[in-house]
Amino acid sequence: MAVIGIKKPLNFHRYKLKLDNILLNWKIAIPTMFSLTGLILGCAAGKGEGGLYLRITEYIRLFLDSGVSSFTVVFFRYLLIPTTLEVILFFLGLSLFGGAASNAVTFMFSYMIGSISYYMYNEYTLKGLAFCVILIYPYAVAVLLSMVLSCRETINMSELILKNISKSGRLTDYSFTDYYKAFLKNYLIIPVSAALSALLEGLFGGIFVF
């Protein structure tokens, strides 16, 4: 006679942990998808030579024509734009809909990188591509990593504000202290990448005379 086994009760806590993990991953996946979309559209925009593309290429043209600069000048040049975008991300997190709007920030930066990539390859072919590989892409990947991680914190903080106002949903232990500490940690990637880019430009900048 077969023994009928007794089914164990469902472990809802385990399933909830899995759901929380999935939601956490989505907070990384969504800004990453916006970044990839911006990169693709930035490259595609070069074919039409729209107004935004021309402004971006004007910036890169000034960058190329500036010649050899000191380490400090190059460092702050690489630091300026991502720092501005990180500040925008930080304040977006303090608003109700900042989580959704934060994806536009990663999109903007990756769109710029895509436009620069198209311009450099279109104008200078393999030499332009080598310039991007050595001086632009390592920096861009590091900056986008910092921004994607910051987007996650922006979404977390924006959700917390929304829950507090609407009195709905279970509040977490996440706080403003956690928010600015995580933001600071994510931001530190940017000055490190800017310093590395300035160093690489000092070593290889002489090769790329356009």
Side-chain angles (χ1 to χ4, degrees), residues 19-102:
L19 179 61
D20 289 345
N21 189 47
I22 291 171
L23 291 174
L24 180 63
N25 290 335
W26 271 109
K27 291 173 185 178
I28 293 290
I30 291 175
T32 300
M33 288 189 292
F34 271 85
S35 299
L36 294 174
T37 303
L39 189 64
I40 294 168
L41 293 181
C43 291
K47 296 180 180 180
E49 294 192 351
L52 182 57
Y53 171 77
L54 293 176
R55 291 296 300 272
I56 293 171
T57 53
E58 181 183 346
Y59 173 81
I60 192 66
R61 186 69 259 171
L62 290 172
F63 180 87
L64 295 174
D65 291 342
S66 63
V68 179
S69 302
S70 67
F71 176 88
T72 304
V73 170
V74 176
F75 171 76
F76 282 105
R77 192 164 57 192
Y78 278 109
L79 192 66
L80 179 61
I81 292 177
T83 298
T84 302
L85 295 177
E86 284 279 353
V87 170
I88 293 172
L89 280 174
F90 181 84
F91 284 105
L92 281 175
L94 303 180
S95 64
L96 288 177
F97 305 105
S102 65

Side-chain angles (χ1 to χ4, degrees), residues 18-210:
K18 288 184 178 181
L19 179 61
D20 289 345
N21 189 47
I22 291 171
L23 291 174
L24 180 63
N25 290 335
W26 271 109
K27 291 173 185 178
I28 293 290
I30 291 175
T32 300
M33 288 189 292
F34 271 85
S35 299
L36 294 174
T37 303
L39 189 64
I40 294 168
L41 293 181
C43 291
K47 296 180 180 180
E49 294 192 351
L52 182 57
Y53 171 77
L54 293 176
R55 291 296 300 272
I56 293 171
T57 53
E58 181 183 346
Y59 173 81
I60 192 66
R61 186 69 259 171
L62 290 172
F63 180 87
L64 295 174
D65 291 342
S66 63
V68 179
S69 302
S70 67
F71 176 88
T72 304
V73 170
V74 176
F75 171 76
F76 282 105
R77 192 164 57 192
Y78 278 109
L79 192 66
L80 179 61
I81 292 177
T83 298
T84 302
L85 295 177
E86 284 279 353
V87 170
I88 293 172
L89 280 174
F90 181 84
F91 284 105
L92 281 175
L94 303 180
S95 64
L96 288 177
F97 305 105
S102 65
N103 296 306
V105 177
T106 58
F107 176 87
M108 288 166 51
F109 183 80
S110 57
Y111 184 97
M112 182 179 69
I113 297 300
S115 296
I116 291 171
S117 300
Y118 180 88
Y119 173 79
M120 293 303 297
Y121 182 74
N122 189 55
E123 293 289 322
Y124 307 108
T125 60
L126 292 179
K127 189 175 182 180
L129 182 61
F131 173 87
C132 290
V133 169
I134 295 174
L135 297 180
I136 301 297
Y137 292 158
Y139 162 79
V141 169
V143 171
L144 280 172
L145 172 63
S146 173
M147 288 185 180
V148 167
L149 293 174
S150 294
C151 275
R152 179 182 63 185
E153 302 307 323
T154 298
I155 294 169
N156 286 336
M157 191 64 193
S158 188
E159 282 184 347
L160 180 64
I161 293 172
L162 184 60
K163 287 178 181 178
N164 275 317
I165 291 176
S166 63
K167 305 296 182 183
S168 63
R170 185 179 66 85
L171 295 179
T172 64
D173 294 331
Y174 194 79
S175 65
F176 180 76
T177 302
D178 299 318
Y179 180 62
Y180 81 76
K181 284 183 178 179
F183 239 90
L184 180 60
K185 182 175 67 175
N186 296 336
Y187 173 74
L188 289 177
I189 298 173
I190 291 176
V192 171
S193 65
L196 179 59
S197 297
L199 179 62
L200 289 173
E201 187 168 326
L203 293 174
F204 301 104
I207 300 174
F208 301 106
V209 179
F210 298 100

